[in-house]
Amino acid sequence: MFVKMQPMVRSAALAAFILAFAATAQAPTSLKEAYRGDFAIGAAINTAQITGQDRRGDAIVEAQFNSISPENALKWENVHPAPGVYAFDLPDQYVAFGEKHHMFIVGHCLVWHNQVPAWVFRDDIGNFVDRETLLKRMHDHIFTVVGRYKGRIQSWDVVNEALNDDGTLRQSPWLKIIGEDYIAKAFQYAHEADPQAQLTYNDYSLENGAKRNGVIALIAKLKAQGITVTSVGLQGHDGLTWPSVEDEDTTLSAFAKLGVKVAITELDIDVLPPATRQQSAEVSLKVQQDPKLNPYADGLPQSVQQQLAERYAGLFGVYLKHRDVVTRVTLWGVTDGDSWRNDWPVKGRTSHPLLFDRSGQPKPAFQAVTRVAATAKTTN
Ligand code: G3I
């Protein structure tokens, strides 16, 4: 029937046909299948999931994801709680879980100012240690932890959240005691401990220009010094309107231009009323409970489910556009009930930021995310 149509009418008809087909295209049954060939799809898993106590959560992880991150198990305070004391039981189970299911295994995180015990920075009488002592502690920690999982953990978040929102270096004990080169040293030690591992600088709110520019300058400087930095981790603790799709696009383009890969490392989308004016994932923020800040304690209304679905679809559309640069998209948690956002920055809220609800059912956002990939494949 196209034969009798004018060219304009023909292409309009073709476009309408493609759109109609895309709308009805069978969404793939799993996230990892939907994005196979584009990028890995990961989830951060918690203690109950690592140890097999959360069977429902594990079933979702096994069916849907081909990468895992440890939500807390490999943070310094858990894996190295006291001088010379390492607790590898949980991390060993974490890595075994990933290997059993042939997953891309992420290590999170080596050098951070949070969840690091006070003793790391102090001497026997409570004073700050000197630069050489702290460098030695950092070196030993990285060599012991990265070394144990050499060739098994494929990617490490080496330095986490070293920058302030304005792009300057955060005044952490690492910076105060060692000086600016603590970041270069951490990457150098990690590379020496496992030369094959991918090494990431991981931070939040890099869609904001000032902070992004700070990271770009930092990575450019490290690269000029010959330090191995494989990727930048955009944490992706997002909201319904921030960052815009354009901000995300600009950010991915900027890091592509810098010559590093990008991993979306901790994605979740907040639907609750903002408790602060800052766009941040700063864990030290605390805001008082207030029922007005917790409107969806009995469930998420359909209209907001839909908004969340469209928002997820918009972001995954940008990730797909940059699939030559984006290596992995990791959701920070498995179901809504698992999310850190239920307790941050207000304790005890009912948050709905992920793709699976509290009973482990896929949400409209899940369908939207799989459909974006299916549609892209149909139209390519
Ligand atoms: O393990 C204790 C438990 O023994 C105790 O009974 C319980 C009482 O509150 O607390 C438990 O520890 C909590 C821990 O999560 C494990 O659930 C801590 O209080 C709580 O502060 C900690 O929160 C973690 C947060 O990092 C702390 O920095 C979140 O689970 C984790 O999702 C979050 O992850 C960070 C990334 O590592 C870096 N980027 C930001 C992201 C979100 O904050």
Side-chain angles (χ1 to χ4, degrees), residues 47 70-72 75 77-78 108-109 112 114-115 160-161 202 204 235 237 266 268 281-283 332 338-341 344 347:
T47 302
E71 188 179 5
N72 288 296
K75 290 175 181 171
E77 69 177 10
N78 294 321
H108 172 86
C109 51
W112 192 22
N114 260 310
Q115 293 180 280
N160 200 37
E161 301 172 7
N202 191 46
Y204 59 82
Q235 292 189 359
H237 294 298
E266 305 183 10
D268 50 24
E282 175 55 54
V283 287
W332 202 244
D338 303 324
S339 173
W340 71 294
R341 285 195 180 267
W344 181 91
K347 231 176 162 30

Side-chain angles (χ1 to χ4, degrees), residues 263-338:
I264 311 297
T265 51
E266 305 183 10
L267 181 63
D268 50 24
I269 298 177
D270 195 13
V271 296
L272 296 180
T276 66
R277 295 174 63 157
Q278 283 157 280
Q279 258 316 332
S280 172
E282 175 55 54
V283 287
S284 60
L285 277 179
K286 284 188 178 44
V287 175
Q288 268 222 318
Q289 288 179 330
D290 175 348
K292 283 206 278 307
L293 295 175
N294 192 22
Y296 309 131
D298 298 327
L300 199 58
Q302 273 314 310
S303 59
V304 191
Q305 287 280 17
Q306 203 45 46
Q307 256 180 295
L308 181 67
E310 283 164 21
R311 178 72 172 131
Y312 261 110
L315 286 170
F316 270 83
V318 189
Y319 305 151
L320 266 182
K321 177 179 168 193
H322 292 275
R323 60 175 162 257
D324 53 333
V325 172
V326 175
T327 56
R328 165 171 64 91
V329 178
T330 292
L331 280 293
W332 202 244
V334 180
T335 72
D336 285 341
D338 303 324

Side-chain angles (χ1 to χ4, degrees), residues 55 61 82 106 112 118 132 172 222 274 282 288 309-310 324:
R55 294 228 180 113
V61 176
V106 178
W112 192 22
E132 292 314 316
S172 69
L222 292 171
E282 175 55 54
Q288 268 222 318
E310 283 164 21
D324 53 333

Side-chain angles (χ1 to χ4, degrees), residues 209-242:
K211 192 165 185 181
R212 178 172 63 245
N213 289 338
V215 173
I216 289 173
L218 170 71
I219 305 293
K221 194 170 157 194
L222 292 171
K223 285 172 76 102
Q225 293 167 3
I227 302 286
T228 301
V229 182
T230 323
S231 7
V232 167
L234 305 182
Q235 292 189 359
H237 294 298
D238 294 345
L240 280 176
T241 55
W242 178 91

